[in-house]
Amino acid sequence: VSAMSEILTPQELNDPVWQKLEARYTARLDTLRKQNDNSGLGEVETARLRGRIEEVKKLLSIGTPNPIQEDEA
């Protein structure tokens, strides 16, 4: 899938469900980034946290013109 129209249509982007999900996951991304910046986590825990950040970014990218593809991670 390479085009936004194949991910979400303009109507879907304006749907209240997507807007709620986008707000929720934008806040989640902010929280995860702060945890990553301010933590004294070990190597494995840091990698796990960065993986979570990447997954949230991928989810949010479906609302952008150039969504993140699985092989771009």
Side-chain angles (χ1 to χ4, degrees), residues 22-39:
E22 184 177 37
R24 166 72 175 103
Y25 282 98
T26 298
R28 179 71 177 143
L29 182 59
D30 185 54
T31 299
L32 291 170
R33 284 179 169 161
K34 286 177 183 174
Q35 287 175 358
N36 187 51
D37 291 344
N38 300 317
S39 72

Side-chain angles (χ1 to χ4, degrees), residues 17-33 52-53 55-57 59-61:
V17 173
W18 170 249
Q19 291 174 354
K20 286 180 182 181
L21 285 170
E22 184 177 37
R24 166 72 175 103
Y25 282 98
T26 298
R28 179 71 177 143
L29 182 59
D30 185 54
T31 299
L32 291 170
R33 284 179 169 161
R52 288 181 183 155
I53 289 169
E55 284 301 312
V56 172
K57 287 171 59 177
L59 178 103
L60 288 170
S61 80

